[in-house]
Amino acid sequence: MVTGTGTLLEKELHRLAGSVPDPELPVLTLDELGVLRGVDVLAPGKVTVRLTPTYTGCPAIEAMSADIERVLHDHGIPEVSVVTVLSPAWSTDDISAEGRRKLAEFGIAPPRPHDATAPANGPVPLALSVRCPHCGSTDTELLSRFSSTACKALRRCVTCREPFDHFKEL
Amino acid sequence: MTAALALGDDALVLSHRLGEWAGHAPVLEEEVALANIALDLLGQARVLLSLAGDEDELAYLREERAFRNVQLVEQPNGDFAHTIARQLYFSAYQQLLYEQLASGEGPFAGLAAKAVKEVAYHQDHAEHWTLRLGDGTDESHDRMQSAVDALWRFTGELFEPVEGVEIDWQSLRSGWLESVSAVLERATLTLPAGPQSGAWTAGAGRQGIHTEPFGRMIAEMQHLHRSHPGASW
């Protein structure tokens, strides 16, 4: 397992795989989403990419794998295998600061950071207000905890009345 | 692998039942919510069944008697209250089960640590609806009470130890009862007083004995794959 201390080639391949856009939220790259766990060069021309799903049932993982394989093939790596790892579990805290900024710009309220002092596996956190990505108001209300994809909740802004998606905390 | 089949079948069968609401849910938001919960469960089922063998063969080519899910999850959707009562009972169970598995080092620890965060949303959803229906109109209160009563006899099976699932079953049972009792009380509902397993059939899903509606459910679930093996589109 190589993480952070990879060879120059591994770092380069990590950068390439990480630059693949998310198939459902194309404003984000896989690196910004925090789902790329590592790239291991096993032999010349033979690479394993470790990917973690946001949700266990997220169907986008198959498109992500195919996109990564294509990008690395184009870069001259003939044998690419993408493996799914579940542990440690992905969290919305893994989304980078740049990723959060892009989500808001795209009209999706970014997830709130988890309270580091709260117990793990505690109740769903709901305390802080979610800011409307359209007008910036913090006066927003929850319409449904489930929305167009597994990772989002549906909210409405009380000030500007626009509905919007919220990348819910996990 | 008995344990992976048992937990995987629970998730697969409940996922299919929830999927049956597509096109029939009372409002669009609920249609989306139930489909999301079904998708989470399907993801868990795929991981678990893959630990036991080929996921497609297990899902589509087994006979009814080879499924190891608890009978609770195969119960028909009924009215919306029945769907919510089934989800409340099951999510409370799955939450506590996965919490224990996640803190161990067994083969399910990784999945459980991930899925427990998803299940927190399922449980939250079921709790909100139980409160809203139980403490709503006379009609919704009566329907919710009927639903929690009707499904009660399928809850005892949840706490029968499964070989290969290394957890404290007694604390799972007491934690579940505490959690469900608290929600029902807040929802102005009465905790059912009857036995948690029926004298006749309830409580043998883990041994492959299923209730009558399950055969029809898997007939529909498996029909396409059996008629057109390997079909893709």
Side-chain angles (χ1 to χ4, degrees):
Chain A
M1 304 282 267
V2 182
T3 317
T5 55
T7 62
L8 273 179
L9 177 61
E10 280 169 344
K11 283 181 183 160
E12 170 66 5
L13 296 177
H14 191 114
R15 190 188 62 74
L16 281 166
S19 66
V20 168
D22 178 281
E24 293 197 31
L25 294 165
V27 287
L28 289 190
T29 66
L30 299 187
D31 199 40
E32 287 160 350
L33 186 61
V35 294
L36 186 61
R37 284 285 165 79
V39 176
D40 307 316
V41 176
L42 306 178
K46 188 175 178 185
V47 166
T48 296
V49 178
R50 284 171 282 125
L51 197 60
T52 196
T54 52
Y55 281 69
T56 317
C58 182
I61 196 101
E62 286 169 21
M64 291 178 187
S65 300
D67 288 348
I68 289 174
E69 283 175 19
R70 186 176 41 75
V71 166
L72 296 191
H73 284 159
D74 289 351
H75 195 71
I77 308 290
E79 271 188 77
V80 179
S81 71
V82 180
V83 297
T84 303
V85 292
L86 294 179
S87 190
W90 179 86
S91 152
T92 39
D93 289 346
D94 296 338
I95 300 177
S96 70
E98 176 64 4
R100 285 160 199 274
R101 192 191 62 75
K102 285 184 178 174
L103 278 174
E105 201 176 84
F106 191 59
I108 298 171
R112 294 159 289 185
H114 283 98
D115 179 357
T117 61
N121 304 334
V124 180
L126 288 169
L128 289 169
S129 62
V130 176
R131 190 177 289 276
C132 170
H134 304 300
C135 75
S137 166
T138 53
D139 190 5
T140 64
E141 61 188 4
L142 181 70
L143 293 180
S144 174
R145 279 182 178 72
F146 300 92
S147 187
S148 55
T149 63
C151 53
K152 288 180 271 169
L154 187 62
R155 297 185 73 91
R156 174 167 54 201
C157 177
V158 174
T159 308
C160 76
R161 307 303 296 167
E162 282 291 322
F164 64 91
D165 270 331
H166 168 221
F167 206 121
K168 70 190 177 200
E169 294 74 25
L170 188 74
Chain B
M1 193 178 174
T2 321
L5 273 187
L7 305 188
D9 285 347
D10 283 352
L12 175 67
V13 171
L14 186 54
S15 170
H16 190 83
R17 279 293 187 212
L18 290 171
E20 290 173 354
W21 273 106
H24 303 281
V27 290
L28 185 60
E29 285 78 4
E30 270 319 294
E31 180 120 354
V32 171
L34 296 171
N36 265 281
I37 295 170
L39 181 62
D40 287 345
L41 290 168
L42 187 62
Q44 296 166 19
R46 292 187 63 181
V47 173
L48 288 161
L49 293 182
S50 295
L51 291 172
D54 179 87
E55 53 175 325
D56 283 341
E57 276 185 29
L58 288 168
Y60 295 126
L61 297 175
R62 270 183 302 162
E63 302 291 333
E64 178 182 339
R65 285 289 181 104
F67 277 81
R68 290 291 177 266
N69 54 284
V70 290
Q71 292 179 352
L72 174 68
V73 295
E74 74 202 29
Q75 296 312 304
N77 288 335
D79 62 7
F80 193 65
H82 277 74
T83 290
I84 293 301
R86 185 183 62 199
Q87 200 64 41
L88 179 75
Y89 289 161
F90 186 75
S91 297
Y93 158 78
Q94 211 185 22
Q95 173 86 8
L96 294 162
L97 173 73
Y98 281 173
E99 265 176 27
Q100 286 205 43
L101 287 172
S103 64
E105 285 172 359
F108 307 119
L111 169 73
K114 179 155 191 62
V116 74
K117 301 197 291 176
E118 299 165 2
V119 175
Y121 279 102
H122 307 174
Q123 191 176 5
D124 192 60
H125 174 262
E127 265 189 51
H128 273 85
W129 271 110
T130 303
L131 295 176
R132 194 165 160 189
L133 295 174
D135 197 13
T137 64
D138 289 346
E139 172 78 12
S140 72
H141 176 90
D142 291 349
R143 283 182 179 238
M144 197 64 219
Q145 186 66 56
S146 300
V148 295
D149 289 347
L151 293 169
W152 186 250
R153 71 172 189 273
F154 296 105
T155 56
E157 191 185 5
L158 297 172
F159 314 109
E160 283 174 17
V162 176
E163 190 191 330
V165 178
E166 304 301 329
I167 60 157
D168 179 347
W169 291 90
Q170 196 50 47
S171 95
L172 176 64
R173 180 189 270 273
S174 57
W176 182 88
L177 192 60
E178 198 178 319
S179 162
V180 167
S181 304
V183 177
L184 295 185
E185 191 183 340
R186 279 169 58 215
T188 72
L189 295 163
T190 308
L191 187 74
Q196 278 182 282
S197 57
W200 44 288
T201 53
R206 294 276 189 242
Q207 286 82 51
I209 312 291
H210 295 283
T211 52
E212 190 260 341
F214 184 57
R216 289 200 299 275
M217 194 209 94
I218 61 166
E220 185 172 300
M221 186 175 90
Q222 298 183 336
H223 163 261
L224 186 72
H225 188 86
R226 285 181 183 268
S227 306
H228 306 278
S232 63
W233 60 89

